[in-house]
Amino acid sequence: GIRPGDQLLAINGKPLLDIIDYQYHSAASHLSVDWQDQNGRQHRDHLLKRPEREFGVTFTANLFDGMR
């Protein structure tokens, strides 16, 4: 799964520019998550969650300069 230091690239095919994009796109119940690990390998995971539940990712800053 996603680990601290990995880079979140997109949710449901939509690139994430800031935390508002993340909050909007992660609100869906069916998620396709694209991310890159610290070794540069890209991954895609498909997840199901309740729409009212948080996705479970936290960020070190609200402005993304690499989505870490």
Side-chain angles (χ1 to χ4, degrees):
I2 298 172
R3 298 177 194 265
D6 291 348
Q7 185 175 8
L8 188 58
L9 303 174
I11 295 178
N12 292 339
K14 306 293 183 186
L16 304 176
L17 302 176
D18 56 29
I19 199 144
I20 294 171
D21 281 349
Y22 163 77
Q23 291 171 336
Y24 179 78
H25 295 297
S26 68
S29 58
H30 291 81
L31 300 175
S32 173
V33 181
D34 298 322
W35 54 280
Q36 181 173 309
D37 65 28
Q38 294 182 40
N39 295 318
R41 291 185 299 248
Q42 291 193 6
H43 306 269
R44 175 173 288 155
D45 287 320
H46 299 279
L47 310 169
L48 291 174
K49 70 171 195 65
R50 292 184 183 152
E52 69 276 5
R53 305 270 325 246
E54 291 289 326
F55 178 54
V57 173
T58 57
F59 301 95
T60 57
N62 289 339
L63 297 176
F64 293 161
D65 62 343
M67 301 288 182
R68 296 183 184 278

Short mmCIF file of all heavy atoms in Angstrom, two decimals:
data_model
loop_
_atom_site.label_atom_id
_atom_site.label_comp_id
_atom_site.label_asym_id
_atom_site.label_seq_id
_atom_site.Cartn_x
_atom_site.Cartn_y
_atom_site.Cartn_z
N GLY A 1 0.81 -1.19 0.00
CA GLY A 1 0.00 0.00 0.00
C GLY A 1 0.85 1.25 0.00
O GLY A 1 2.07 1.21 -0.07
N ILE A 2 0.18 2.35 0.08
CA ILE A 2 0.84 3.65 0.12
C ILE A 2 1.55 3.80 1.46
O ILE A 2 0.96 3.54 2.51
CB ILE A 2 -0.18 4.78 -0.11
CG1 ILE A 2 -0.82 4.63 -1.49
CG2 ILE A 2 0.48 6.14 0.02
CD1 ILE A 2 -1.96 5.57 -1.75
N ARG A 3 2.80 4.25 1.41
CA ARG A 3 3.61 4.42 2.62
C ARG A 3 4.09 5.86 2.74
O ARG A 3 4.12 6.58 1.73
CB ARG A 3 4.82 3.50 2.57
CG ARG A 3 4.45 2.04 2.51
CD ARG A 3 5.69 1.18 2.39
NE ARG A 3 5.36 -0.17 2.02
CZ ARG A 3 5.20 -1.16 2.89
NH1 ARG A 3 5.36 -0.93 4.17
NH2 ARG A 3 4.89 -2.37 2.47
N PRO A 4 4.46 6.28 3.93
CA PRO A 4 5.00 7.64 4.08
C PRO A 4 6.15 7.88 3.11
O PRO A 4 7.01 7.02 2.92
CB PRO A 4 5.50 7.65 5.53
CG PRO A 4 4.63 6.65 6.23
CD PRO A 4 4.39 5.56 5.20
N GLY A 5 6.12 9.03 2.45
CA GLY A 5 7.14 9.38 1.47
C GLY A 5 6.77 9.05 0.04
O GLY A 5 7.43 9.51 -0.89
N ASP A 6 5.71 8.24 -0.18
CA ASP A 6 5.25 7.94 -1.53
C ASP A 6 4.54 9.15 -2.11
O ASP A 6 4.09 10.03 -1.38
CB ASP A 6 4.32 6.73 -1.54
CG ASP A 6 5.05 5.43 -1.21
OD1 ASP A 6 6.29 5.43 -1.20
OD2 ASP A 6 4.36 4.43 -0.95
N GLN A 7 4.40 9.18 -3.41
CA GLN A 7 3.80 10.31 -4.10
C GLN A 7 2.45 9.91 -4.68
O GLN A 7 2.36 8.99 -5.50
CB GLN A 7 4.73 10.79 -5.21
CG GLN A 7 4.27 12.02 -5.91
CD GLN A 7 5.29 12.53 -6.92
OE1 GLN A 7 6.27 11.86 -7.20
NE2 GLN A 7 5.04 13.68 -7.47
N LEU A 8 1.39 10.60 -4.27
CA LEU A 8 0.05 10.36 -4.78
C LEU A 8 -0.09 11.12 -6.09
O LEU A 8 0.11 12.33 -6.14
CB LEU A 8 -0.98 10.84 -3.77
CG LEU A 8 -2.43 10.54 -4.02
CD1 LEU A 8 -2.66 9.03 -4.14
CD2 LEU A 8 -3.28 11.09 -2.90
N LEU A 9 -0.40 10.40 -7.18
CA LEU A 9 -0.43 11.01 -8.51
C LEU A 9 -1.83 11.39 -8.97
O LEU A 9 -2.03 12.48 -9.52
CB LEU A 9 0.19 10.05 -9.52
CG LEU A 9 1.63 9.61 -9.23
CD1 LEU A 9 2.06 8.54 -10.23
CD2 LEU A 9 2.56 10.79 -9.24
N ALA A 10 -2.81 10.48 -8.80
CA ALA A 10 -4.16 10.73 -9.31
C ALA A 10 -5.16 9.85 -8.58
O ALA A 10 -4.81 8.79 -8.07
CB ALA A 10 -4.22 10.46 -10.81
N ILE A 11 -6.41 10.31 -8.57
CA ILE A 11 -7.52 9.51 -8.08
C ILE A 11 -8.57 9.49 -9.18
O ILE A 11 -8.95 10.54 -9.70
CB ILE A 11 -8.12 10.08 -6.77
CG1 ILE A 11 -7.08 9.99 -5.64
CG2 ILE A 11 -9.39 9.34 -6.38
CD1 ILE A 11 -7.56 10.57 -4.33
N ASN A 12 -9.01 8.30 -9.55
CA ASN A 12 -9.98 8.09 -10.62
C ASN A 12 -9.55 8.79 -11.92
O ASN A 12 -10.36 9.38 -12.62
CB ASN A 12 -11.38 8.53 -10.18
CG ASN A 12 -11.92 7.64 -9.09
OD1 ASN A 12 -11.49 6.50 -8.93
ND2 ASN A 12 -12.87 8.14 -8.33
N GLY A 13 -8.25 8.72 -12.19
CA GLY A 13 -7.71 9.28 -13.42
C GLY A 13 -7.53 10.77 -13.43
O GLY A 13 -7.10 11.35 -14.42
N LYS A 14 -7.84 11.44 -12.33
CA LYS A 14 -7.74 12.90 -12.25
C LYS A 14 -6.47 13.28 -11.48
O LYS A 14 -6.31 12.93 -10.31
CB LYS A 14 -8.95 13.51 -11.53
CG LYS A 14 -10.28 13.11 -12.12
CD LYS A 14 -10.45 13.68 -13.50
CE LYS A 14 -11.84 13.31 -14.02
NZ LYS A 14 -12.06 13.69 -15.36
N PRO A 15 -5.55 14.00 -12.12
CA PRO A 15 -4.34 14.43 -11.42
C PRO A 15 -4.70 15.35 -10.25
O PRO A 15 -5.67 16.10 -10.32
CB PRO A 15 -3.56 15.21 -12.48
CG PRO A 15 -4.23 14.96 -13.77
CD PRO A 15 -5.60 14.45 -13.49
N LEU A 16 -3.93 15.27 -9.18
CA LEU A 16 -4.19 16.06 -7.99
C LEU A 16 -3.24 17.25 -7.94
O LEU A 16 -2.03 17.08 -7.95
CB LEU A 16 -4.02 15.20 -6.75
CG LEU A 16 -4.89 13.94 -6.72
CD1 LEU A 16 -4.56 13.11 -5.49
CD2 LEU A 16 -6.35 14.29 -6.77
N LEU A 17 -3.82 18.46 -7.89
CA LEU A 17 -3.02 19.68 -7.87
C LEU A 17 -2.87 20.24 -6.46
O LEU A 17 -1.90 20.93 -6.17
CB LEU A 17 -3.63 20.74 -8.78
CG LEU A 17 -3.80 20.32 -10.25
CD1 LEU A 17 -4.50 21.41 -11.03
CD2 LEU A 17 -2.46 19.96 -10.86
N ASP A 18 -3.85 19.95 -5.60
CA ASP A 18 -3.80 20.46 -4.23
C ASP A 18 -4.71 19.61 -3.35
O ASP A 18 -5.33 18.66 -3.81
CB ASP A 18 -4.18 21.94 -4.17
CG ASP A 18 -5.55 22.23 -4.77
OD1 ASP A 18 -6.44 21.35 -4.74
OD2 ASP A 18 -5.76 23.35 -5.25
N ILE A 19 -4.79 19.97 -2.09
CA ILE A 19 -5.56 19.17 -1.14
C ILE A 19 -7.06 19.21 -1.44
O ILE A 19 -7.78 18.26 -1.14
CB ILE A 19 -5.25 19.59 0.31
CG1 ILE A 19 -5.68 18.49 1.26
CG2 ILE A 19 -5.91 20.91 0.66
CD1 ILE A 19 -4.81 18.30 2.44
N ILE A 20 -7.52 20.27 -2.07
CA ILE A 20 -8.94 20.36 -2.44
C ILE A 20 -9.26 19.31 -3.51
O ILE A 20 -10.29 18.63 -3.44
CB ILE A 20 -9.32 21.78 -2.90
CG1 ILE A 20 -9.18 22.73 -1.71
CG2 ILE A 20 -10.72 21.82 -3.48
CD1 ILE A 20 -9.32 24.18 -2.05
N ASP A 21 -8.37 19.15 -4.49
CA ASP A 21 -8.55 18.09 -5.49
C ASP A 21 -8.60 16.72 -4.81
O ASP A 21 -9.43 15.89 -5.12
CB ASP A 21 -7.41 18.09 -6.51
CG ASP A 21 -7.55 19.14 -7.58
OD1 ASP A 21 -8.63 19.75 -7.69
OD2 ASP A 21 -6.57 19.35 -8.30
N TYR A 22 -7.68 16.50 -3.87
CA TYR A 22 -7.64 15.23 -3.15
C TYR A 22 -8.96 14.99 -2.41
O TYR A 22 -9.54 13.92 -2.51
CB TYR A 22 -6.47 15.21 -2.16
CG TYR A 22 -6.62 14.13 -1.13
CD1 TYR A 22 -6.35 12.81 -1.45
CD2 TYR A 22 -7.07 14.42 0.16
CE1 TYR A 22 -6.52 11.80 -0.51
CE2 TYR A 22 -7.23 13.42 1.10
CZ TYR A 22 -6.96 12.12 0.75
OH TYR A 22 -7.14 11.13 1.68
N GLN A 23 -9.44 15.99 -1.67
CA GLN A 23 -10.68 15.82 -0.91
C GLN A 23 -11.87 15.57 -1.83
O GLN A 23 -12.71 14.72 -1.53
CB GLN A 23 -10.92 17.05 -0.04
CG GLN A 23 -9.93 17.17 1.09
CD GLN A 23 -10.01 18.50 1.82
OE1 GLN A 23 -10.47 19.50 1.28
NE2 GLN A 23 -9.55 18.50 3.05
N TYR A 24 -11.94 16.28 -2.93
CA TYR A 24 -13.06 16.12 -3.86
C TYR A 24 -13.07 14.73 -4.49
O TYR A 24 -14.08 14.03 -4.48
CB TYR A 24 -12.98 17.20 -4.95
CG TYR A 24 -14.08 17.10 -5.97
CD1 TYR A 24 -15.36 17.56 -5.68
CD2 TYR A 24 -13.84 16.54 -7.22
CE1 TYR A 24 -16.37 17.47 -6.62
CE2 TYR A 24 -14.85 16.43 -8.16
CZ TYR A 24 -16.12 16.90 -7.85
OH TYR A 24 -17.11 16.78 -8.78
N HIS A 25 -11.94 14.31 -5.04
CA HIS A 25 -11.88 13.04 -5.76
C HIS A 25 -11.89 11.83 -4.83
O HIS A 25 -12.34 10.75 -5.23
CB HIS A 25 -10.68 13.00 -6.70
CG HIS A 25 -10.77 14.02 -7.80
ND1 HIS A 25 -11.77 14.00 -8.76
CD2 HIS A 25 -10.02 15.10 -8.07
CE1 HIS A 25 -11.61 15.02 -9.58
NE2 HIS A 25 -10.55 15.70 -9.18
N SER A 26 -11.41 11.97 -3.61
CA SER A 26 -11.40 10.83 -2.69
C SER A 26 -12.74 10.64 -1.98
O SER A 26 -12.90 9.69 -1.22
CB SER A 26 -10.28 10.98 -1.65
OG SER A 26 -10.54 12.05 -0.77
N ALA A 27 -13.71 11.50 -2.25
CA ALA A 27 -15.03 11.37 -1.62
C ALA A 27 -15.87 10.26 -2.26
O ALA A 27 -16.85 9.82 -1.67
CB ALA A 27 -15.78 12.70 -1.71
N ALA A 28 -15.50 9.78 -3.42
CA ALA A 28 -16.25 8.72 -4.10
C ALA A 28 -16.12 7.40 -3.35
O ALA A 28 -15.22 7.22 -2.53
CB ALA A 28 -15.74 8.57 -5.53
N SER A 29 -17.03 6.47 -3.62
CA SER A 29 -16.96 5.16 -2.96
C SER A 29 -16.07 4.17 -3.73
O SER A 29 -15.50 3.27 -3.14
CB SER A 29 -18.35 4.58 -2.77
OG SER A 29 -19.01 4.46 -4.01
N HIS A 30 -15.95 4.34 -5.04
CA HIS A 30 -15.06 3.50 -5.86
C HIS A 30 -13.87 4.36 -6.25
O HIS A 30 -14.03 5.39 -6.92
CB HIS A 30 -15.78 3.02 -7.12
CG HIS A 30 -16.86 2.04 -6.85
ND1 HIS A 30 -18.11 2.42 -6.44
CD2 HIS A 30 -16.87 0.70 -6.91
CE1 HIS A 30 -18.85 1.35 -6.28
NE2 HIS A 30 -18.12 0.29 -6.54
N LEU A 31 -12.67 3.94 -5.85
CA LEU A 31 -11.48 4.74 -6.12
C LEU A 31 -10.44 3.94 -6.90
O LEU A 31 -10.17 2.78 -6.58
CB LEU A 31 -10.83 5.20 -4.81
CG LEU A 31 -11.69 6.06 -3.88
CD1 LEU A 31 -10.95 6.32 -2.59
CD2 LEU A 31 -12.08 7.35 -4.55
N SER A 32 -9.88 4.57 -7.90
CA SER A 32 -8.71 4.07 -8.59
C SER A 32 -7.58 5.04 -8.23
O SER A 32 -7.65 6.22 -8.56
CB SER A 32 -8.94 4.04 -10.09
OG SER A 32 -7.75 3.70 -10.76
N VAL A 33 -6.58 4.56 -7.52
CA VAL A 33 -5.54 5.43 -6.98
C VAL A 33 -4.21 5.14 -7.67
O VAL A 33 -3.75 3.99 -7.67
CB VAL A 33 -5.40 5.23 -5.46
CG1 VAL A 33 -4.33 6.13 -4.89
CG2 VAL A 33 -6.73 5.46 -4.77
N ASP A 34 -3.62 6.16 -8.29
CA ASP A 34 -2.31 6.05 -8.92
C ASP A 34 -1.29 6.71 -8.00
O ASP A 34 -1.49 7.85 -7.57
CB ASP A 34 -2.29 6.75 -10.28
CG ASP A 34 -3.26 6.13 -11.26
OD1 ASP A 34 -3.40 4.89 -11.26
OD2 ASP A 34 -3.88 6.89 -12.03
N TRP A 35 -0.20 5.98 -7.73
CA TRP A 35 0.82 6.53 -6.85
C TRP A 35 2.18 5.98 -7.23
O TRP A 35 2.29 5.00 -7.95
CB TRP A 35 0.50 6.24 -5.39
CG TRP A 35 0.25 4.81 -5.04
CD1 TRP A 35 -0.91 4.11 -5.24
CD2 TRP A 35 1.17 3.88 -4.49
NE1 TRP A 35 -0.75 2.82 -4.82
CE2 TRP A 35 0.51 2.65 -4.35
CE3 TRP A 35 2.49 3.97 -4.08
CZ2 TRP A 35 1.12 1.52 -3.83
CZ3 TRP A 35 3.10 2.85 -3.55
CH2 TRP A 35 2.41 1.64 -3.43
N GLN A 36 3.21 6.66 -6.77
CA GLN A 36 4.59 6.28 -7.06
C GLN A 36 5.32 6.06 -5.74
O GLN A 36 5.26 6.92 -4.86
CB GLN A 36 5.27 7.38 -7.86
CG GLN A 36 6.70 7.07 -8.24
CD GLN A 36 7.25 8.12 -9.17
OE1 GLN A 36 6.62 8.45 -10.17
NE2 GLN A 36 8.40 8.66 -8.83
N ASP A 37 5.99 4.93 -5.63
CA ASP A 37 6.72 4.65 -4.40
C ASP A 37 8.08 5.35 -4.42
O ASP A 37 8.47 5.97 -5.41
CB ASP A 37 6.84 3.15 -4.13
CG ASP A 37 7.67 2.39 -5.15
OD1 ASP A 37 8.58 2.98 -5.77
OD2 ASP A 37 7.42 1.19 -5.32
N GLN A 38 8.81 5.24 -3.33
CA GLN A 38 10.09 5.94 -3.19
C GLN A 38 11.17 5.40 -4.12
O GLN A 38 12.19 6.05 -4.33
CB GLN A 38 10.55 5.87 -1.74
CG GLN A 38 9.62 6.63 -0.82
CD GLN A 38 10.08 6.61 0.61
OE1 GLN A 38 11.27 6.73 0.90
NE2 GLN A 38 9.14 6.45 1.52
N ASN A 39 10.94 4.22 -4.71
CA ASN A 39 11.89 3.65 -5.67
C ASN A 39 11.55 4.04 -7.11
O ASN A 39 12.21 3.59 -8.04
CB ASN A 39 11.92 2.12 -5.55
CG ASN A 39 12.44 1.69 -4.21
OD1 ASN A 39 13.41 2.25 -3.70
ND2 ASN A 39 11.81 0.70 -3.60
N GLY A 40 10.50 4.86 -7.30
CA GLY A 40 10.12 5.33 -8.63
C GLY A 40 9.14 4.42 -9.36
O GLY A 40 8.77 4.72 -10.48
N ARG A 41 8.73 3.31 -8.74
CA ARG A 41 7.75 2.41 -9.38
C ARG A 41 6.34 2.99 -9.22
O ARG A 41 5.96 3.43 -8.14
CB ARG A 41 7.82 1.03 -8.77
CG ARG A 41 9.10 0.29 -9.09
CD ARG A 41 9.04 -1.12 -8.54
NE ARG A 41 8.90 -1.08 -7.09
CZ ARG A 41 9.83 -1.46 -6.22
NH1 ARG A 41 10.97 -1.93 -6.64
NH2 ARG A 41 9.60 -1.38 -4.93
N GLN A 42 5.59 2.96 -10.32
CA GLN A 42 4.22 3.45 -10.27
C GLN A 42 3.26 2.29 -10.04
O GLN A 42 3.48 1.19 -10.53
CB GLN A 42 3.88 4.21 -11.55
CG GLN A 42 4.64 5.51 -11.64
CD GLN A 42 4.11 6.43 -12.72
OE1 GLN A 42 3.10 6.17 -13.36
NE2 GLN A 42 4.81 7.53 -12.93
N HIS A 43 2.20 2.57 -9.30
CA HIS A 43 1.21 1.57 -8.93
C HIS A 43 -0.19 2.12 -9.15
O HIS A 43 -0.40 3.33 -9.15
CB HIS A 43 1.35 1.21 -7.44
CG HIS A 43 2.72 0.79 -7.04
ND1 HIS A 43 3.12 -0.52 -7.05
CD2 HIS A 43 3.78 1.52 -6.61
CE1 HIS A 43 4.38 -0.58 -6.64
NE2 HIS A 43 4.79 0.64 -6.36
N ARG A 44 -1.14 1.21 -9.29
CA ARG A 44 -2.56 1.56 -9.34
C ARG A 44 -3.30 0.56 -8.46
O ARG A 44 -3.16 -0.65 -8.64
CB ARG A 44 -3.11 1.52 -10.75
CG ARG A 44 -4.63 1.79 -10.78
CD ARG A 44 -5.17 1.92 -12.18
NE ARG A 44 -4.69 3.21 -12.69
CZ ARG A 44 -4.53 3.48 -13.97
NH1 ARG A 44 -4.80 2.57 -14.88
NH2 ARG A 44 -4.09 4.65 -14.37
N ASP A 45 -4.07 1.07 -7.52
CA ASP A 45 -4.90 0.23 -6.66
C ASP A 45 -6.35 0.64 -6.85
O ASP A 45 -6.66 1.82 -7.06
CB ASP A 45 -4.52 0.40 -5.18
CG ASP A 45 -3.21 -0.26 -4.83
OD1 ASP A 45 -2.96 -1.37 -5.34
OD2 ASP A 45 -2.43 0.33 -4.08
N HIS A 46 -7.24 -0.34 -6.75
CA HIS A 46 -8.68 -0.09 -6.83
C HIS A 46 -9.26 -0.37 -5.45
O HIS A 46 -9.04 -1.45 -4.89
CB HIS A 46 -9.33 -0.98 -7.89
CG HIS A 46 -8.77 -0.71 -9.26
ND1 HIS A 46 -9.19 0.33 -10.03
CD2 HIS A 46 -7.80 -1.33 -9.96
CE1 HIS A 46 -8.52 0.33 -11.17
NE2 HIS A 46 -7.66 -0.67 -11.15
N LEU A 47 -9.99 0.60 -4.92
CA LEU A 47 -10.51 0.50 -3.56
C LEU A 47 -12.00 0.78 -3.51
O LEU A 47 -12.53 1.56 -4.32
CB LEU A 47 -9.80 1.53 -2.66
CG LEU A 47 -8.28 1.55 -2.71
CD1 LEU A 47 -7.76 2.78 -1.99
CD2 LEU A 47 -7.72 0.30 -2.10
N LEU A 48 -12.65 0.17 -2.56
CA LEU A 48 -14.04 0.47 -2.24
C LEU A 48 -14.07 1.02 -0.82
O LEU A 48 -13.41 0.49 0.07
CB LEU A 48 -14.91 -0.78 -2.29
CG LEU A 48 -15.15 -1.39 -3.66
CD1 LEU A 48 -15.89 -2.71 -3.52
CD2 LEU A 48 -15.95 -0.43 -4.52
N LYS A 49 -14.82 2.09 -0.60
CA LYS A 49 -14.97 2.64 0.74
C LYS A 49 -16.34 3.28 0.86
O LYS A 49 -16.99 3.57 -0.13
CB LYS A 49 -13.87 3.65 1.04
CG LYS A 49 -13.97 4.94 0.26
CD LYS A 49 -12.99 5.96 0.79
CE LYS A 49 -13.29 7.35 0.29
NZ LYS A 49 -14.53 7.93 0.72
N ARG A 50 -16.77 3.48 2.07
CA ARG A 50 -18.02 4.20 2.30
C ARG A 50 -17.79 5.67 1.97
O ARG A 50 -16.76 6.24 2.38
CB ARG A 50 -18.46 4.05 3.74
CG ARG A 50 -18.86 2.65 4.08
CD ARG A 50 -19.36 2.59 5.49
NE ARG A 50 -19.69 1.22 5.81
CZ ARG A 50 -19.64 0.71 7.02
NH1 ARG A 50 -19.28 1.46 8.04
NH2 ARG A 50 -19.96 -0.55 7.22
N PRO A 51 -18.71 6.31 1.25
CA PRO A 51 -18.49 7.72 0.86
C PRO A 51 -18.25 8.66 2.04
O PRO A 51 -17.52 9.63 1.91
CB PRO A 51 -19.78 8.08 0.12
CG PRO A 51 -20.34 6.79 -0.34
CD PRO A 51 -19.93 5.77 0.68
N GLU A 52 -18.84 8.37 3.20
CA GLU A 52 -18.67 9.26 4.35
C GLU A 52 -17.35 9.03 5.09
O GLU A 52 -16.98 9.81 5.95
CB GLU A 52 -19.84 9.10 5.32
CG GLU A 52 -19.90 7.77 6.05
CD GLU A 52 -20.58 6.64 5.29
OE1 GLU A 52 -20.97 6.81 4.12
OE2 GLU A 52 -20.73 5.57 5.89
N ARG A 53 -16.62 7.99 4.75
CA ARG A 53 -15.36 7.68 5.42
C ARG A 53 -14.20 8.38 4.73
O ARG A 53 -14.20 8.57 3.53
CB ARG A 53 -15.10 6.16 5.40
CG ARG A 53 -16.19 5.31 5.96
CD ARG A 53 -16.18 4.98 7.41
NE ARG A 53 -14.96 4.78 8.11
CZ ARG A 53 -14.57 3.63 8.62
NH1 ARG A 53 -15.29 2.54 8.45
NH2 ARG A 53 -13.47 3.57 9.32
N GLU A 54 -13.20 8.69 5.51
CA GLU A 54 -11.97 9.29 4.96
C GLU A 54 -11.16 8.22 4.23
O GLU A 54 -11.24 7.05 4.55
CB GLU A 54 -11.13 9.89 6.09
CG GLU A 54 -11.72 11.12 6.73
CD GLU A 54 -11.69 12.33 5.82
OE1 GLU A 54 -10.73 12.48 5.03
OE2 GLU A 54 -12.65 13.11 5.88
N PHE A 55 -10.38 8.64 3.27
CA PHE A 55 -9.53 7.74 2.51
C PHE A 55 -8.37 7.23 3.36
O PHE A 55 -7.90 6.12 3.19
CB PHE A 55 -9.02 8.47 1.26
CG PHE A 55 -8.09 7.70 0.40
CD1 PHE A 55 -8.42 6.46 -0.09
CD2 PHE A 55 -6.86 8.22 0.06
CE1 PHE A 55 -7.55 5.75 -0.91
CE2 PHE A 55 -5.99 7.53 -0.76
CZ PHE A 55 -6.34 6.29 -1.23
N GLY A 56 -7.91 8.04 4.31
CA GLY A 56 -6.87 7.59 5.23
C GLY A 56 -5.46 8.04 4.89
O GLY A 56 -4.50 7.52 5.43
N VAL A 57 -5.33 9.01 4.02
CA VAL A 57 -4.02 9.55 3.67
C VAL A 57 -3.89 10.93 4.31
O VAL A 57 -4.83 11.71 4.29
CB VAL A 57 -3.85 9.67 2.13
CG1 VAL A 57 -2.57 10.38 1.76
CG2 VAL A 57 -3.92 8.31 1.49
N THR A 58 -2.74 11.21 4.89
CA THR A 58 -2.48 12.54 5.42
C THR A 58 -1.27 13.13 4.70
O THR A 58 -0.45 12.40 4.14
CB THR A 58 -2.21 12.51 6.94
OG1 THR A 58 -1.10 11.64 7.19
CG2 THR A 58 -3.43 12.01 7.70
N PHE A 59 -1.18 14.45 4.73
CA PHE A 59 -0.12 15.16 4.00
C PHE A 59 0.66 16.04 4.97
O PHE A 59 0.14 16.50 5.97
CB PHE A 59 -0.73 16.02 2.88
CG PHE A 59 -1.50 15.21 1.89
CD1 PHE A 59 -2.87 15.07 2.01
CD2 PHE A 59 -0.86 14.57 0.84
CE1 PHE A 59 -3.60 14.32 1.10
CE2 PHE A 59 -1.57 13.82 -0.07
CZ PHE A 59 -2.94 13.69 0.06
N THR A 60 1.91 16.29 4.61
CA THR A 60 2.75 17.14 5.45
C THR A 60 2.46 18.62 5.21
O THR A 60 2.79 19.44 6.05
CB THR A 60 4.24 16.86 5.19
OG1 THR A 60 4.51 17.05 3.82
CG2 THR A 60 4.59 15.44 5.61
N ALA A 61 1.86 18.97 4.07
CA ALA A 61 1.54 20.37 3.76
C ALA A 61 0.27 20.42 2.92
O ALA A 61 -0.04 19.47 2.21
CB ALA A 61 2.69 21.02 3.00
N ASN A 62 -0.46 21.54 3.02
CA ASN A 62 -1.69 21.68 2.26
C ASN A 62 -1.43 22.05 0.80
O ASN A 62 -2.27 21.84 -0.05
CB ASN A 62 -2.59 22.74 2.89
CG ASN A 62 -3.19 22.26 4.20
OD1 ASN A 62 -3.27 21.07 4.44
ND2 ASN A 62 -3.60 23.19 5.02
N LEU A 63 -0.28 22.65 0.52
CA LEU A 63 0.09 22.97 -0.87
C LEU A 63 1.00 21.87 -1.35
O LEU A 63 2.02 21.58 -0.73
CB LEU A 63 0.80 24.32 -0.92
CG LEU A 63 -0.05 25.51 -0.50
CD1 LEU A 63 0.80 26.78 -0.51
CD2 LEU A 63 -1.24 25.67 -1.42
N PHE A 64 0.65 21.26 -2.46
CA PHE A 64 1.40 20.11 -2.96
C PHE A 64 2.54 20.56 -3.85
O PHE A 64 2.34 21.28 -4.81
CB PHE A 64 0.48 19.17 -3.75
CG PHE A 64 -0.55 18.48 -2.92
CD1 PHE A 64 -1.65 17.93 -3.52
CD2 PHE A 64 -0.43 18.38 -1.55
CE1 PHE A 64 -2.61 17.27 -2.77
CE2 PHE A 64 -1.37 17.72 -0.79
CZ PHE A 64 -2.47 17.16 -1.40
N ASP A 65 3.72 20.12 -3.52
CA ASP A 65 4.87 20.33 -4.39
C ASP A 65 5.50 18.96 -4.65
O ASP A 65 6.69 18.76 -4.53
CB ASP A 65 5.88 21.28 -3.75
CG ASP A 65 6.44 20.74 -2.45
OD1 ASP A 65 5.85 19.81 -1.88
OD2 ASP A 65 7.48 21.26 -2.00
N GLY A 66 4.66 18.01 -4.98
CA GLY A 66 5.11 16.65 -5.20
C GLY A 66 4.17 15.64 -4.57
O GLY A 66 4.40 14.46 -4.64
N MET A 67 3.07 16.08 -3.96
CA MET A 67 2.02 15.20 -3.42
C MET A 67 2.55 14.15 -2.47
O MET A 67 2.23 13.00 -2.57
CB MET A 67 1.29 14.47 -4.56
CG MET A 67 0.63 15.35 -5.54
SD MET A 67 -0.78 16.09 -4.79
CE MET A 67 -1.37 17.00 -6.17
N ARG A 68 3.39 14.49 -1.56
CA ARG A 68 3.96 13.52 -0.64
C ARG A 68 3.16 13.50 0.65
O ARG A 68 2.72 14.47 1.12
CB ARG A 68 5.42 13.85 -0.35
CG ARG A 68 6.25 13.73 -1.60
CD ARG A 68 7.70 13.98 -1.30
NE ARG A 68 8.46 13.96 -2.50
CZ ARG A 68 8.90 12.86 -3.09
NH1 ARG A 68 8.64 11.70 -2.58
NH2 ARG A 68 9.60 12.92 -4.19
#
